[in-house]
Short mmCIF file of all heavy atoms in Angstrom, two decimals:
data_model
loop_
_atom_site.label_atom_id
_atom_site.label_comp_id
_atom_site.label_asym_id
_atom_site.label_seq_id
_atom_site.Cartn_x
_atom_site.Cartn_y
_atom_site.Cartn_z
N VAL A 209 100.65 30.43 -107.12
CA VAL A 209 100.95 29.00 -106.99
C VAL A 209 101.16 28.41 -108.35
O VAL A 209 102.05 27.58 -108.52
CB VAL A 209 99.79 28.30 -106.14
CG1 VAL A 209 100.07 26.85 -106.03
CG2 VAL A 209 99.58 28.99 -104.83
N SER A 210 100.28 28.73 -109.26
CA SER A 210 100.40 28.24 -110.64
C SER A 210 101.76 28.65 -111.26
O SER A 210 102.45 27.79 -111.87
CB SER A 210 99.23 28.76 -111.48
OG SER A 210 99.35 28.28 -112.77
N VAL A 211 102.08 29.90 -111.09
CA VAL A 211 103.37 30.39 -111.61
C VAL A 211 104.51 29.64 -110.96
O VAL A 211 105.46 29.24 -111.73
CB VAL A 211 103.50 31.93 -111.33
CG1 VAL A 211 104.90 32.42 -111.55
CG2 VAL A 211 102.53 32.69 -112.21
N ASP A 212 104.48 29.40 -109.68
CA ASP A 212 105.53 28.67 -109.05
C ASP A 212 105.63 27.24 -109.57
O ASP A 212 106.74 26.76 -109.79
CB ASP A 212 105.33 28.64 -107.50
CG ASP A 212 106.46 27.98 -106.79
OD1 ASP A 212 107.68 28.29 -107.04
OD2 ASP A 212 106.18 27.06 -105.97
N MET A 213 104.55 26.56 -109.77
CA MET A 213 104.57 25.19 -110.26
C MET A 213 105.15 25.17 -111.70
O MET A 213 105.93 24.24 -111.99
CB MET A 213 103.11 24.57 -110.26
CG MET A 213 102.52 24.39 -108.88
SD MET A 213 103.48 23.32 -107.82
CE MET A 213 104.13 24.50 -106.66
N ILE A 214 104.76 26.12 -112.49
CA ILE A 214 105.28 26.17 -113.90
C ILE A 214 106.81 26.45 -113.87
O ILE A 214 107.58 25.80 -114.50
CB ILE A 214 104.49 27.16 -114.73
CG1 ILE A 214 103.08 26.71 -114.98
CG2 ILE A 214 105.22 27.38 -116.10
CD1 ILE A 214 102.17 27.71 -115.60
N ALA A 215 107.16 27.46 -113.03
CA ALA A 215 108.61 27.86 -112.97
C ALA A 215 109.42 26.69 -112.45
O ALA A 215 110.62 26.55 -112.85
CB ALA A 215 108.76 29.12 -112.09
N SER A 216 108.87 25.90 -111.53
CA SER A 216 109.53 24.75 -110.98
C SER A 216 109.43 23.51 -111.92
O SER A 216 109.98 22.45 -111.52
CB SER A 216 109.01 24.46 -109.64
OG SER A 216 109.08 25.48 -108.75
N ARG A 217 108.72 23.68 -112.96
CA ARG A 217 108.52 22.55 -113.92
C ARG A 217 107.85 21.36 -113.24
O ARG A 217 108.13 20.18 -113.54
CB ARG A 217 109.80 22.20 -114.58
CG ARG A 217 110.35 23.32 -115.47
CD ARG A 217 111.69 22.91 -116.10
NE ARG A 217 112.20 24.04 -116.85
CZ ARG A 217 111.95 24.30 -118.15
NH1 ARG A 217 111.20 23.52 -118.83
NH2 ARG A 217 112.51 25.33 -118.76
N ARG A 218 106.95 21.67 -112.31
CA ARG A 218 106.20 20.61 -111.61
C ARG A 218 104.90 20.51 -112.40
O ARG A 218 103.82 21.07 -111.96
CB ARG A 218 105.98 20.97 -110.19
CG ARG A 218 107.34 21.00 -109.43
CD ARG A 218 107.23 21.50 -108.02
NE ARG A 218 106.31 20.76 -107.25
CZ ARG A 218 106.03 21.10 -105.99
NH1 ARG A 218 106.57 22.16 -105.41
NH2 ARG A 218 105.18 20.35 -105.28
N TRP A 219 104.95 19.86 -113.53
CA TRP A 219 103.82 19.84 -114.49
C TRP A 219 102.54 19.25 -114.00
O TRP A 219 101.45 19.79 -114.21
CB TRP A 219 104.23 19.23 -115.83
CG TRP A 219 105.50 19.90 -116.38
CD1 TRP A 219 106.68 19.31 -116.71
CD2 TRP A 219 105.65 21.28 -116.74
NE1 TRP A 219 107.57 20.23 -117.20
CE2 TRP A 219 106.97 21.46 -117.23
CE3 TRP A 219 104.86 22.42 -116.66
CZ2 TRP A 219 107.46 22.65 -117.62
CZ3 TRP A 219 105.34 23.62 -117.06
CH2 TRP A 219 106.63 23.78 -117.57
N PRO A 220 102.57 18.11 -113.29
CA PRO A 220 101.29 17.57 -112.78
C PRO A 220 100.64 18.52 -111.77
O PRO A 220 99.40 18.71 -111.86
CB PRO A 220 101.71 16.23 -112.08
CG PRO A 220 102.97 15.85 -112.73
CD PRO A 220 103.70 17.16 -113.07
N GLU A 221 101.39 19.15 -110.94
CA GLU A 221 100.82 20.08 -109.99
C GLU A 221 100.31 21.38 -110.69
O GLU A 221 99.30 21.88 -110.34
CB GLU A 221 101.90 20.48 -108.92
CG GLU A 221 102.29 19.34 -108.01
CD GLU A 221 103.48 18.55 -108.51
OE1 GLU A 221 103.79 18.64 -109.73
OE2 GLU A 221 104.05 17.80 -107.75
N ALA A 222 101.08 21.81 -111.69
CA ALA A 222 100.60 22.98 -112.48
C ALA A 222 99.30 22.69 -113.21
O ALA A 222 98.40 23.55 -113.21
CB ALA A 222 101.69 23.38 -113.48
N LEU A 223 99.19 21.49 -113.71
CA LEU A 223 97.92 21.07 -114.40
C LEU A 223 96.82 21.06 -113.33
O LEU A 223 95.70 21.56 -113.61
CB LEU A 223 98.07 19.75 -115.10
CG LEU A 223 96.82 19.21 -115.72
CD1 LEU A 223 96.24 20.11 -116.79
CD2 LEU A 223 97.07 17.79 -116.25
N ALA A 224 97.08 20.48 -112.17
CA ALA A 224 96.04 20.35 -111.13
C ALA A 224 95.57 21.74 -110.76
O ALA A 224 94.36 21.98 -110.59
CB ALA A 224 96.58 19.55 -109.94
N ILE A 225 96.47 22.64 -110.50
CA ILE A 225 96.13 24.00 -110.09
C ILE A 225 95.28 24.68 -111.16
O ILE A 225 94.26 25.38 -110.93
CB ILE A 225 97.41 24.86 -109.78
CG1 ILE A 225 98.12 24.31 -108.60
CG2 ILE A 225 97.08 26.32 -109.59
CD1 ILE A 225 97.36 24.32 -107.27
N PHE A 226 95.72 24.51 -112.44
CA PHE A 226 95.01 25.10 -113.53
C PHE A 226 93.57 24.52 -113.62
O PHE A 226 92.61 25.29 -113.85
CB PHE A 226 95.72 24.92 -114.86
CG PHE A 226 95.27 25.77 -115.98
CD1 PHE A 226 95.61 27.06 -116.15
CD2 PHE A 226 94.37 25.24 -116.93
CE1 PHE A 226 95.17 27.87 -117.13
CE2 PHE A 226 93.88 26.03 -117.97
CZ PHE A 226 94.29 27.33 -118.07
N LEU A 227 93.43 23.30 -113.43
CA LEU A 227 92.09 22.65 -113.51
C LEU A 227 91.22 23.08 -112.33
O LEU A 227 90.10 23.34 -112.48
CB LEU A 227 92.21 21.10 -113.55
CG LEU A 227 92.81 20.54 -114.82
CD1 LEU A 227 93.02 18.99 -114.70
CD2 LEU A 227 92.06 20.94 -116.03
N ILE A 228 91.81 23.17 -111.15
CA ILE A 228 91.10 23.69 -109.98
C ILE A 228 90.60 25.09 -110.22
O ILE A 228 89.44 25.45 -109.95
CB ILE A 228 91.92 23.59 -108.69
CG1 ILE A 228 92.11 22.15 -108.29
CG2 ILE A 228 91.28 24.40 -107.56
CD1 ILE A 228 93.22 21.92 -107.25
N ALA A 229 91.48 25.93 -110.78
CA ALA A 229 91.06 27.31 -111.12
C ALA A 229 89.92 27.28 -112.17
O ALA A 229 88.97 28.06 -111.99
CB ALA A 229 92.30 28.08 -111.60
N GLY A 230 90.04 26.49 -113.15
CA GLY A 230 88.97 26.40 -114.15
C GLY A 230 87.67 25.95 -113.58
O GLY A 230 86.58 26.51 -113.89
N ILE A 231 87.68 24.93 -112.73
CA ILE A 231 86.45 24.45 -112.06
C ILE A 231 85.86 25.55 -111.22
O ILE A 231 84.63 25.76 -111.18
CB ILE A 231 86.74 23.16 -111.35
CG1 ILE A 231 87.02 22.01 -112.32
CG2 ILE A 231 85.53 22.80 -110.40
CD1 ILE A 231 87.62 20.75 -111.65
N SER A 232 86.72 26.23 -110.45
CA SER A 232 86.24 27.29 -109.53
C SER A 232 85.64 28.41 -110.36
O SER A 232 84.68 29.06 -109.88
CB SER A 232 87.38 27.78 -108.65
OG SER A 232 88.23 28.63 -109.38
N ASP A 233 86.13 28.65 -111.55
CA ASP A 233 85.57 29.74 -112.38
C ASP A 233 84.16 29.37 -112.78
O ASP A 233 83.25 30.17 -112.72
CB ASP A 233 86.44 29.93 -113.64
CG ASP A 233 86.00 31.10 -114.50
OD1 ASP A 233 85.36 32.02 -113.92
OD2 ASP A 233 86.32 31.13 -115.70
N GLY A 234 83.97 28.16 -113.17
CA GLY A 234 82.63 27.71 -113.48
C GLY A 234 81.68 27.66 -112.30
O GLY A 234 80.51 28.05 -112.37
N LEU A 235 82.24 27.25 -111.16
CA LEU A 235 81.45 27.14 -109.93
C LEU A 235 80.99 28.48 -109.44
O LEU A 235 79.86 28.68 -109.04
CB LEU A 235 82.27 26.42 -108.86
CG LEU A 235 81.57 26.18 -107.52
CD1 LEU A 235 80.32 25.28 -107.74
CD2 LEU A 235 82.54 25.57 -106.56
N ASP A 236 81.88 29.48 -109.40
CA ASP A 236 81.45 30.79 -108.89
C ASP A 236 80.41 31.43 -109.77
O ASP A 236 79.41 32.04 -109.27
CB ASP A 236 82.65 31.73 -108.61
CG ASP A 236 83.40 32.24 -109.81
OD1 ASP A 236 83.04 31.90 -110.93
OD2 ASP A 236 84.35 32.98 -109.64
N GLY A 237 80.56 31.26 -111.08
CA GLY A 237 79.61 31.79 -111.98
C GLY A 237 78.25 31.09 -111.86
O GLY A 237 77.17 31.76 -111.88
N TRP A 238 78.25 29.78 -111.68
CA TRP A 238 77.02 29.03 -111.50
C TRP A 238 76.29 29.45 -110.23
O TRP A 238 75.09 29.68 -110.19
CB TRP A 238 77.30 27.52 -111.53
CG TRP A 238 76.01 26.73 -111.29
CD1 TRP A 238 75.09 26.41 -112.23
CD2 TRP A 238 75.57 26.20 -110.05
NE1 TRP A 238 74.09 25.65 -111.67
CE2 TRP A 238 74.34 25.50 -110.31
CE3 TRP A 238 76.09 26.18 -108.81
CZ2 TRP A 238 73.64 24.89 -109.36
CZ3 TRP A 238 75.37 25.55 -107.76
CH2 TRP A 238 74.16 24.90 -108.07
N ILE A 239 77.05 29.56 -109.14
CA ILE A 239 76.42 29.92 -107.89
C ILE A 239 75.87 31.34 -107.97
O ILE A 239 74.71 31.57 -107.54
CB ILE A 239 77.45 29.84 -106.73
CG1 ILE A 239 77.81 28.42 -106.43
CG2 ILE A 239 76.96 30.55 -105.45
CD1 ILE A 239 79.03 28.30 -105.46
N ALA A 240 76.59 32.26 -108.56
CA ALA A 240 76.07 33.63 -108.70
C ALA A 240 74.81 33.68 -109.55
O ALA A 240 73.88 34.44 -109.13
CB ALA A 240 77.16 34.52 -109.33
N ARG A 241 74.78 32.93 -110.62
CA ARG A 241 73.56 32.96 -111.45
C ARG A 241 72.43 32.19 -110.80
O ARG A 241 71.31 32.65 -110.79
CB ARG A 241 73.85 32.35 -112.82
CG ARG A 241 74.64 33.27 -113.78
CD ARG A 241 74.78 32.66 -115.18
NE ARG A 241 75.41 31.37 -115.18
CZ ARG A 241 76.71 31.12 -115.15
NH1 ARG A 241 77.58 32.13 -115.04
NH2 ARG A 241 77.23 29.93 -115.17
N ARG A 242 72.73 31.02 -110.32
CA ARG A 242 71.67 30.13 -109.74
C ARG A 242 70.94 30.73 -108.52
O ARG A 242 69.79 30.59 -108.42
CB ARG A 242 72.32 28.77 -109.38
CG ARG A 242 71.39 27.81 -108.60
CD ARG A 242 70.32 27.28 -109.50
NE ARG A 242 69.55 26.26 -108.74
CZ ARG A 242 68.48 26.52 -107.99
NH1 ARG A 242 68.10 27.75 -107.84
NH2 ARG A 242 67.87 25.59 -107.42
N PHE A 243 71.71 31.40 -107.72
CA PHE A 243 71.16 31.96 -106.48
C PHE A 243 71.02 33.45 -106.59
O PHE A 243 70.84 34.12 -105.53
CB PHE A 243 71.99 31.48 -105.27
CG PHE A 243 71.96 30.02 -105.09
CD1 PHE A 243 73.00 29.27 -105.54
CD2 PHE A 243 70.83 29.36 -104.55
CE1 PHE A 243 73.04 27.88 -105.35
CE2 PHE A 243 70.82 27.97 -104.41
CZ PHE A 243 71.97 27.23 -104.80
N ASP A 244 71.11 34.02 -107.75
CA ASP A 244 71.00 35.48 -107.99
C ASP A 244 71.94 36.27 -107.05
O ASP A 244 71.45 37.14 -106.31
CB ASP A 244 69.52 35.94 -107.81
CG ASP A 244 69.28 37.34 -108.42
OD1 ASP A 244 70.07 37.69 -109.31
OD2 ASP A 244 68.42 38.02 -107.94
N LEU A 245 73.16 35.88 -107.02
CA LEU A 245 74.20 36.53 -106.18
C LEU A 245 75.18 37.33 -106.99
O LEU A 245 76.30 37.56 -106.54
CB LEU A 245 74.89 35.48 -105.31
CG LEU A 245 74.01 34.65 -104.41
CD1 LEU A 245 74.83 33.51 -103.82
CD2 LEU A 245 73.37 35.50 -103.36
N ARG A 246 74.78 37.75 -108.23
CA ARG A 246 75.67 38.51 -109.03
C ARG A 246 75.91 39.86 -108.41
O ARG A 246 74.96 40.48 -107.86
CB ARG A 246 75.12 38.64 -110.43
CG ARG A 246 75.25 37.36 -111.22
CD ARG A 246 74.46 37.46 -112.49
NE ARG A 246 73.05 37.16 -112.14
CZ ARG A 246 72.14 36.78 -113.01
NH1 ARG A 246 72.42 36.69 -114.23
NH2 ARG A 246 70.96 36.53 -112.61
N SER A 247 77.15 40.40 -108.52
CA SER A 247 77.47 41.71 -108.02
C SER A 247 78.46 42.35 -108.93
O SER A 247 79.19 41.67 -109.64
CB SER A 247 77.95 41.62 -106.58
OG SER A 247 79.24 41.00 -106.58
N GLU A 248 78.59 43.65 -108.80
CA GLU A 248 79.59 44.34 -109.58
C GLU A 248 81.00 43.96 -109.20
O GLU A 248 81.85 43.66 -109.99
CB GLU A 248 79.38 45.90 -109.43
CG GLU A 248 80.29 46.70 -110.33
CD GLU A 248 80.03 48.19 -110.26
OE1 GLU A 248 79.20 48.64 -109.49
OE2 GLU A 248 80.77 48.96 -110.95
N LEU A 249 81.21 43.82 -107.82
CA LEU A 249 82.42 43.39 -107.32
C LEU A 249 82.82 41.99 -107.82
O LEU A 249 83.92 41.76 -108.25
CB LEU A 249 82.46 43.36 -105.75
CG LEU A 249 83.65 42.69 -105.08
CD1 LEU A 249 84.93 43.51 -105.39
CD2 LEU A 249 83.42 42.61 -103.61
N GLY A 250 81.83 41.13 -107.86
CA GLY A 250 82.02 39.76 -108.34
C GLY A 250 82.40 39.77 -109.82
O GLY A 250 83.30 38.93 -110.18
N ALA A 251 81.81 40.55 -110.57
CA ALA A 251 82.12 40.63 -112.03
C ALA A 251 83.59 41.03 -112.21
O ALA A 251 84.29 40.49 -113.02
CB ALA A 251 81.19 41.55 -112.81
N TYR A 252 84.03 42.06 -111.45
CA TYR A 252 85.40 42.50 -111.54
C TYR A 252 86.38 41.42 -111.04
O TYR A 252 87.39 41.17 -111.64
CB TYR A 252 85.66 43.82 -110.75
CG TYR A 252 85.10 45.02 -111.49
CD1 TYR A 252 84.01 45.71 -111.03
CD2 TYR A 252 85.67 45.43 -112.72
CE1 TYR A 252 83.51 46.86 -111.67
CE2 TYR A 252 85.18 46.55 -113.40
CZ TYR A 252 84.10 47.27 -112.88
OH TYR A 252 83.64 48.36 -113.58
N LEU A 253 86.09 40.85 -109.83
CA LEU A 253 86.94 39.82 -109.27
C LEU A 253 87.11 38.68 -110.23
O LEU A 253 88.23 38.17 -110.43
CB LEU A 253 86.42 39.33 -107.97
CG LEU A 253 86.64 40.26 -106.77
CD1 LEU A 253 85.95 39.67 -105.53
CD2 LEU A 253 88.05 40.49 -106.46
#
Side-chain angles (χ1 to χ4, degrees):
V209 178
S210 179
V211 167
D212 183 51
M213 294 301 108
I214 293 169
S216 302
R217 297 177 183 270
R218 294 173 59 185
W219 305 122
E221 294 90 343
L223 175 62
I225 295 297
F226 193 81
L227 293 176
I228 290 167
I231 291 166
S232 76
D233 187 24
L235 181 63
D236 69 0
W238 178 81
I239 291 170
R241 285 186 303 277
R242 170 70 174 88
F243 298 101
D244 194 27
L245 299 173
R246 288 170 277 201
S247 68
E248 186 176 0
L249 173 63
Y252 283 114
L253 284 175

